[in-house]
């Protein structure tokens, strides 16, 4: 595309602007590559991205291209958690996709290296790249190292759960202060199999990132070498005209979903894989996800379900070892094209398990995948749960409802000791439309864990959960309350039954009572301010990835 701006007398003004950047005629004549960086000084996962982009630039230069860094926004979900800022997190994915499209087309770039790291930024950049369909490679900033608290591994989720421990009298304020000083020891995406690391791992399975993208630590020299390799890789893609939608096929997405189930990834990956697929004209469904989950064994159990972190996964062979195990049971299609210019099978064919963070395919942690889809009269269009982070005694559960119309009301009740063993917490009006913004609910779930209630209390919501959440936390309930979903009809004291192995979630009232409640129902309707007002009226259902409507 940049060739359009490099030749002919009529393009002299554009060349003059390039030269105002300090570019030479030789540099202008080469393929010009956008290095799209989410660097900021507010996101721990992004604060070091200048080091990554410098390495990418070196790789592009060495391979005969001209790199130009352009920016992207990014919200830290941990900092946004528990207040109105979280309403902007998922919607920011759409802004990022739009900005990638705008920058790539507006400046006639020939290709792009995407340099994100955290939750919404990774899928947002992938969405934009798929939409524009210029040669592109993704290289993330890498995971954070675990913290060390009195000889034990800790992370951000440890700090969230500690709040509940203090409230329950199991931890002192002094201990909490000590923990917060060591839980997040430096740069990188938070160290467990949370959303950012989940999607960065799945980028390897999709074929849009080089092997190691999801697991090489942010502070390792290997991460710099990977970034240089990504810069070189995009130049080969430009030379061979290999574009994202040639890589992001339906088979690539089924590979990613299988990998998702095997590693016990965050439930947010459902939203993000569905959203990226939509940009490629591919429809993924919850039924498809469930079919893949049913046949794909869970091979990894990382934080928050265990103390193992991303470094442990990398040292055990990483995603390529996971994919190789799945391929042994024909659960991966190895002929899919990747940003290496070769098939996915070429990358994983020789990868072996070299540690205890990956179970062999013949000795899995569980015979089914990490995420389950539930249906029932509360969630006619589906709900999702990370079953790999639930204790066995909570796989089937019946309890009495305690209902809240916001996360804040629920958290106050938890901290006030108003939640008892046997309760099923219901948080509604937190969906994509009703929130708006579909907030994550890490604060309530962490408080329950910290207070020792995670094996006696379930939580359901039309909002969503952080990848750091553990326990019987069921999210993405669809239709959401704001769309007249049955979750809005639940009353305090109602019996709710949960059967995760059977995939069922039901409100146990008779049809006559359900009909009477439906007739009287009037949805809560608060008008948000700012761009969230537009988002509210344009966003689709969670079961469709909570993307914005293409036609309206």
């Amino acid at each position: 595309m940049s060739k359009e701006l490099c030749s002919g007398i009529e393009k002299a003004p554009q060349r003059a602007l390039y030269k105002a950047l300090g570019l030479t005629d030789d540099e202008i004549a080469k393929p010009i590559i956008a290095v799209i960086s989410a660097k900021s000084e507010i996101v721990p996962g992004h604060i070091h991205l200048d080091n990554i982009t410098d390495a990418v630039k070196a790789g592009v230069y060495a391979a005969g291209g001209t790199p130009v860094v352009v920016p992207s926004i990014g919200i830290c979900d941990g900092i946004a958690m528990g207040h109105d800022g979280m309403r902007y997190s998922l919607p920011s994915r759409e802004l990022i996709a739009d900005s990638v499209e705008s920058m790539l087309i507006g400046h006639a770039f020939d290709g792009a290296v995407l340099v994100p790291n955290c939750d919404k930024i990774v899928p947002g950049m992938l969405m934009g790249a798929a939409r524009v369909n210029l040669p592109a490679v993704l290289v993330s900033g890498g995971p954070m190292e675990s913290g060390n608290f009195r000889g034990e591994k800790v992370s951000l989720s440890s700090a969230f759960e500690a709040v509940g421990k203090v409230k329950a009298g199991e931890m002192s304020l002094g201990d909490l202060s000590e923990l917060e000083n060591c839980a997040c020891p430096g740069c990188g995406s938070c160290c467990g199999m949370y959303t950012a690391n989940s999607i960065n791992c799945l980028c390897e399975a999709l074929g849009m990132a080089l092997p190691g993208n999801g697991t090489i630590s942010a502070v390792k020299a290997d991460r710099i070498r990977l970034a240089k390799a990504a810069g070189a890789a995009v130049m080969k893609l430009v030379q061979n005209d290999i574009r994202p939608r040639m890589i992001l096929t339906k088979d690539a997405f089924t590979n990613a979903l299988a990998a998702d189930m095997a590693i016990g990834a965050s439930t947010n990956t459902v939203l993000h894989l569905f959203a990226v697929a939509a940009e490629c004209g591919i429809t993924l469904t919850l039924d498809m996800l469930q079919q893949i989950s049913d046949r794909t064994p869970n091979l990894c159990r990382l934080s928050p379900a265990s103390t193992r972190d991303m470094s442990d996964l990398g040292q055990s062979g990483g995603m390529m070892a996971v994919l190789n195990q799945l391929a042994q049971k024909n659960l991966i299609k190895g002929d899919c094209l990747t940003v290496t210019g070769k098939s996915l099978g070429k990358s994983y064919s020789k990868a072996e398990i070299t540690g205890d963070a990956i179970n062999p395919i013949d000795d899995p942690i569980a015979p089914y995948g990490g995420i389950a889809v539930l249906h029932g009269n509360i969630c006619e269009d589906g709900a999702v749960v990370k079953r790999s982070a639930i204790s066995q005694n909570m796989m089937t559960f019946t309890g009495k409802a305690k209902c809240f119309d916001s996360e804040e009301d629920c958290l106050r009740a938890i901290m006030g000791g108003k939640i008892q063993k046997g309760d099923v917490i219901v948080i509604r009006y937190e969906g994509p439309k009703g929130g708006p913004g579909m907030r994550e609910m890490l604060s309530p779930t962490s408080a329950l864990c910290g207070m020792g209630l995670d094996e006696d209390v379930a939580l359901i919501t039309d909002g969503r959960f952080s990848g750091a959440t553990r326990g019987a936390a069921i999210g993405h309930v669809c239709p959401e309350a704001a769309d007249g979903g049955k979750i809005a009809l639940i009353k305090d004291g109602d019996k709710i039954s949960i059967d995760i192995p059977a995939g069922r979630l039901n409100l146990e009232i008779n049809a006559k009572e359900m009909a009477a409640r439906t007739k009287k129902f009037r949805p809560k309707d608060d008008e948000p301010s700012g761009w969230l007002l537009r988002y509210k009226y344009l966003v689709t259902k969670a079961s469709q990835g909570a993307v914005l409507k293409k036609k309206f």
Side-chain angles (χ1 to χ4, degrees), residues 26-43:
D26 285 345
E27 288 174 315
I28 295 170
K30 295 174 181 178
I32 299 179
I33 306 299
V35 182
I36 305 180
S37 172
K39 154 77 178 183
S40 77
E41 294 184 351
I42 190 60
V43 184

Side-chain angles (χ1 to χ4, degrees), residues 42-218:
I42 190 60
V43 184
H46 294 174
I47 194 168
H48 65 303
L49 290 188
D50 282 353
N51 294 333
I52 306 300
T53 56
D54 284 347
V56 170
K57 289 170 65 179
V60 172
Y61 272 127
T66 299
V68 179
V69 176
V70 296
S72 169
I73 64 167
I75 291 174
C76 175
D77 278 17
I79 294 174
M81 198 75 65
H83 62 92
D84 276 350
M86 180 51 76
R87 300 192 193 283
Y88 288 85
S89 177
L90 183 60
S92 74
R93 185 187 67 183
E94 313 306 312
L95 295 179
I96 292 163
D98 290 348
S99 67
V100 168
E101 174 189 358
S102 301
M103 294 299 281
L104 290 181
I105 295 178
H107 298 101
F109 284 108
D110 296 296
V113 179
L114 314 173
V115 188
N117 206 22
C118 294
D119 296 28
K120 308 312 152 309
I121 300 88
V122 180
M125 286 193 184
L126 283 177
M127 290 164 67
R131 189 184 300 169
V132 176
N133 204 32
L134 287 174
V137 178
L138 185 142
V139 58
S140 74
M144 186 185 293
E145 302 270 281
S146 287
N148 186 299
F149 179 67
R150 300 176 183 176
E152 294 185 1
K153 284 184 178 180
V154 290
S155 63
L156 179 66
S157 61
S158 306
F160 270 98
E161 292 183 14
V163 175
K165 290 182 179 179
V166 170
K167 195 66 181 178
E170 296 181 8
M171 177 179 273
S172 70
L173 289 173
D175 290 344
L176 178 62
S177 179
E178 182 183 342
L179 174 61
E180 74 180 63
N181 282 321
C182 64
C184 300
C187 65
S189 49
C190 297
C191 64
M193 188 56 78
Y194 309 154
T195 304
N197 292 327
S198 294
I199 197 71
N200 279 323
C201 284
L202 297 186
C203 285
E204 295 185 45
L206 281 171
M208 285 299 295
L210 298 174
N213 180 70
T215 55
I216 298 172
S217 169

